[in-house]
Amino acid sequence: MILETFPVGMLRCNCTILGDETTREAIVVDPGDNVSEILTRLAAHKLALKQILITHGHIDHVSGAAHLKRVTGAPVFLNQHDLPQLAMMEWQAEFLGVPLPEVASPDASADDGRKLGLPNFPGEVIHTPGHTEGSICLYFAPQQLLLAGDTLFAGSIGRTDLPGGDGSKILRSIHDRLLTLPDPVLVIPGHGSETTIGEERATNPFLSR
Ligand SMILES: [Zn+2]
């Protein structure tokens, strides 16, 4: 497995490339910016992009998706409940003081339980509303890997004060859908450093009941 996570854009969103070194196929999760760097990294590994997966519709996670799709032809997946986030992209850009990006209308909805990823690295969508209504995590069970978007961070959780956010929903999502995963699962959040499910269950101050 080729696994590269690197921060992109002003808000340093974690963009992840997951590739298969035997089939030379890849997926990209959250191409928030720096599309040329993403393309350079894909080319360096001789990887063909198969899917563009967006964990939620915030500008810092989705901004490069249209450009990346145009160059590679890969379809874009976003949960349908975050279409309203795309519709308010102008507001998001103004709120953060960044230029309005080209908006990619998703090719399909990343609905709960949907199988995505690559044949040798199958992933499943876990719908985790709270940070936004359409927030998802991507779980690669055989690899014990969770791409958590802005739902769960190392020592913290996603903010819920933006439009569509809901503080009780994010806690329910994390407790019911994420903390039920095995301890060793590696968590790559949407921002900041990686962690594990076990570490967050034991030490995350936002999750103690
Ligand atoms: Zn966000």
Side-chain angles (χ1 to χ4, degrees), residues 88-172:
M88 39 187 299
M89 200 53 69
E90 210 161 319
W91 180 88
Q92 291 198 47
E94 225 161 88
F95 180 78
L96 290 170
V98 297
L100 181 67
E102 181 187 350
V103 177
S105 47
D107 295 279
S109 179
D111 288 327
D112 191 56
R114 184 166 192 154
K115 308 280 190 267
L116 292 167
L118 302 169
N120 293 328
F121 302 105
E124 181 171 334
V125 174
I126 304 177
H127 183 211
T128 50
H131 176 63
T132 61
E133 189 58 33
S135 282
I136 61 158
C137 296
L138 293 159
Y139 182 45
F140 298 85
Q143 283 71 43
Q144 299 278 278
L145 170 68
L146 183 79
L147 301 179
D150 285 1
T151 296
L152 178 64
F153 297 121
S156 187
I157 64 173
R159 62 188 289 182
T160 54
D161 59 331
L162 295 172
D166 185 317
S168 57
K169 273 189 189 175
I170 196 171
L171 287 174
R172 206 178 318 138

